[in-house]
Amino acid sequence: MDTQNDHYLGFGLGLRTDHFEEVLQGQANVDWFEVISENFMVGGGKPLYYLHEIREQYPIVMHGVSMSVGSTDPLDMNYLRRLKKLVNDVKPAWISDHLCWSQLGGINSHDLLPMPYTEEALKHIVGNIRQAQDFLGQQMLIENVSSYISYSESAMTEWEFYSAVVEEADCLMLLDINNIYVSARNHHFDAEDYLKGINPKRVRQMHLAGHSDYGDYIIDTHDHPVVDSVWQLYAKAIERFGPVSTMIERDDDIPALGELIAELDQARAISARVLSAGESSGVAHG
């Protein structure tokens, strides 16, 4: 299997409507963009026009929020057909979705709900991911979600479950560093233990984002800058996994493009510093 370094894209941003024109008008200091797949699964119009224009200048990856691979509902084949059409049209560097369920009885909750970490759930979700990959004709990246509840039936840690899923489904990881931090705070585990439990060869991409801190709990809201604690965890992740394509998500209270690029430069600087220190000490990643 390829390692993450064979597909390294550098540092990216989520492509948002607010920035379409500015991205096209100048050479933003961004290496690649991630798009929300569902926003472009349409017959035509301005979103697809801008996507194709930007695709001429930058690599694109596609990130889905509706596959619901953990649901007891069967996979929505109409959704998969529409997704495959967009994949064939855009030819993204890769595609991703989430380790979660979001619909039941055909009703979409529009939320990314966590799985119980059981052998039964593991077998079910692996089967769905394999079916989706077979239909799409390529490996997927699966992202860890933030969580605010836990299941009494769970028989393993989140990172043990996540690792088992990607190994048995032979997929890859989109490791969300903010989500690890959020869940660690909410469920009182050590975020570094999570990183130590992940196979570096499975990690293809990382997400960074902001959250809302309410003291006793925190919520992944994507409407604030990345906080210092998440930057510190990101440094630990780079130390363990080496160079991994990294992007910043911002979905609400979206600032000017230049402000997001300045934040992305922080990721660049942290990654460069950690990798340089590793080279100086002779540390081998993976």
Side-chain angles (χ1 to χ4, degrees):
M1 187 190 70
D2 295 330
T3 68
Q4 70 273 28
N5 292 328
D6 297 320
H7 298 268
Y8 181 64
L9 293 181
F11 296 86
L13 290 175
L15 183 62
R16 302 297 180 256
T17 306
D18 305 52
H19 303 140
F20 281 173
E21 285 289 350
E22 193 173 356
V23 169
L24 281 179
Q25 288 170 6
Q27 290 297 314
N29 187 25
V30 179
D31 298 322
W32 55 280
F33 285 97
E34 179 187 85
V35 300
I36 303 299
S37 302
E38 288 80 359
N39 290 345
F40 299 91
M41 290 164 62
V42 293
K46 283 188 176 181
L48 277 178
Y49 165 78
Y50 279 108
L51 177 56
H52 285 295
E53 291 296 308
I54 292 168
R55 180 70 179 87
E56 293 297 314
Q57 299 182 33
Y58 299 92
I60 296 290
V61 306
M62 286 171 44
H63 185 52
V65 295
S66 303
M67 194 174 292
S68 193
V69 292
S71 175
T72 53
D73 287 358
L75 290 178
D76 184 340
M77 296 310 296
N78 181 54
Y79 171 86
L80 284 176
R81 281 189 288 271
R82 291 164 59 218
L83 179 62
K84 186 171 185 176
K85 181 178 184 301
L86 184 63
V87 169
N88 291 340
D89 192 27
V90 174
K91 296 179 173 54
W94 56 75
I95 57 177
S96 62
D97 211 290
H98 298 81
L99 184 67
C100 74
W101 62 281
S102 57
Q103 67 179 40
L104 185 64
I107 299 173
N108 196 324
S109 70
H110 301 289
D111 205 351
L112 306 174
L113 302 168
M115 301 294 301
Y117 307 133
T118 65
E119 290 294 339
E120 181 182 14
L122 173 63
K123 181 178 179 181
H124 177 73
I125 204 166
V126 165
N128 279 343
I129 293 172
R130 284 190 172 276
Q131 181 185 351
Q133 290 184 141
D134 287 346
F135 182 82
L136 296 168
Q138 61 181 277
Q139 239 178 351
M140 291 174 55
L141 279 60
I142 297 295
E143 178 185 357
N144 58 300
V145 298
S146 57
S147 63
Y148 315 99
I149 61 167
S150 57
Y151 296 86
S152 58
E153 296 89 350
S154 290
M156 61 190 91
T157 64
E158 180 185 331
W159 54 95
E160 289 170 337
F161 183 82
Y162 187 23
S163 295
V165 165
V166 298
E167 291 296 334
E168 294 187 26
D170 192 25
C171 60
L172 298 165
M173 288 182 168
L174 195 177
L175 199 61
D176 190 307
I177 303 303
N178 182 64
N179 285 351
I180 294 174
Y181 179 80
V182 168
S183 295
R185 280 273 304 274
N186 288 340
H187 300 303
H188 310 292
F189 63 77
D190 188 333
E192 290 189 38
D193 286 343
Y194 196 120
L195 297 180
K196 292 172 185 175
I198 297 298
N199 178 359
K201 292 182 179 179
R202 291 286 177 177
V203 181
R204 172 73 59 88
Q205 181 186 342
M206 290 185 194
H207 272 172
L208 294 166
H211 57 255
S212 296
D213 192 332
Y214 296 96
D216 292 337
Y217 62 95
I218 55 180
I219 297 178
D220 178 41
T221 50
H222 296 186
D223 60 359
H224 288 78
V226 179
V227 302
D228 287 345
S229 298
V230 172
W231 285 127
Q232 292 165 16
L233 189 60
Y234 175 61
K236 293 289 185 181
I238 293 297
E239 185 177 334
R240 172 157 176 76
F241 304 122
V244 176
S245 302
T246 298
M247 64 152 285
I248 291 176
E249 292 183 293
R250 192 66 172 263
D251 295 312
D252 204 359
D253 195 18
I254 298 174
L257 181 60
E259 187 175 330
L260 281 176
I261 291 173
E263 191 174 24
L264 191 62
D265 286 340
Q266 290 182 254
R268 284 191 174 97
I270 289 169
S271 180
R273 172 175 56 78
V274 172
L275 294 173
S276 178
E279 290 174 1
S280 298
S281 62
V283 174
H285 301 288

PDB file of all heavy atoms in Angstrom, residues 107 227 234:
ATOM      1  N   ILE A 107     -34.262   9.189   6.908  1.00  0.00           N
ATOM      2  CA  ILE A 107     -34.285  10.574   7.379  1.00  0.00           C
ATOM      3  C   ILE A 107     -32.872  10.994   7.789  1.00  0.00           C
ATOM      4  O   ILE A 107     -32.240  10.330   8.613  1.00  0.00           O
ATOM      5  CB  ILE A 107     -35.247  10.747   8.569  1.00  0.00           C
ATOM      6  CG1 ILE A 107     -36.666  10.392   8.132  1.00  0.00           C
ATOM      7  CG2 ILE A 107     -35.189  12.181   9.113  1.00  0.00           C
ATOM      8  CD1 ILE A 107     -37.665  10.374   9.268  1.00  0.00           C
ATOM      9  N   VAL A 227      -6.995  26.727  18.253  1.00  0.00           N
ATOM     10  CA  VAL A 227      -6.483  27.148  19.560  1.00  0.00           C
ATOM     11  C   VAL A 227      -5.098  26.543  19.812  1.00  0.00           C
ATOM     12  O   VAL A 227      -4.691  25.564  19.172  1.00  0.00           O
ATOM     13  CB  VAL A 227      -7.440  26.762  20.706  1.00  0.00           C
ATOM     14  CG1 VAL A 227      -8.820  27.380  20.486  1.00  0.00           C
ATOM     15  CG2 VAL A 227      -7.549  25.247  20.845  1.00  0.00           C
ATOM     16  N   TYR A 234      -1.237  19.080  17.104  1.00  0.00           N
ATOM     17  CA  TYR A 234      -0.818  18.947  15.714  1.00  0.00           C
ATOM     18  C   TYR A 234       0.696  18.719  15.628  1.00  0.00           C
ATOM     19  O   TYR A 234       1.162  17.874  14.845  1.00  0.00           O
ATOM     20  CB  TYR A 234      -1.214  20.193  14.923  1.00  0.00           C
ATOM     21  CG  TYR A 234      -0.725  20.207  13.491  1.00  0.00           C
ATOM     22  CD1 TYR A 234      -1.128  19.230  12.584  1.00  0.00           C
ATOM     23  CD2 TYR A 234       0.154  21.196  13.037  1.00  0.00           C
ATOM     24  CE1 TYR A 234      -0.674  19.235  11.270  1.00  0.00           C
ATOM     25  CE2 TYR A 234       0.597  21.210  11.728  1.00  0.00           C
ATOM     26  CZ  TYR A 234       0.187  20.226  10.850  1.00  0.00           C
ATOM     27  OH  TYR A 234       0.646  20.229   9.553  1.00  0.00           O
TER      28      TYR A 234
END
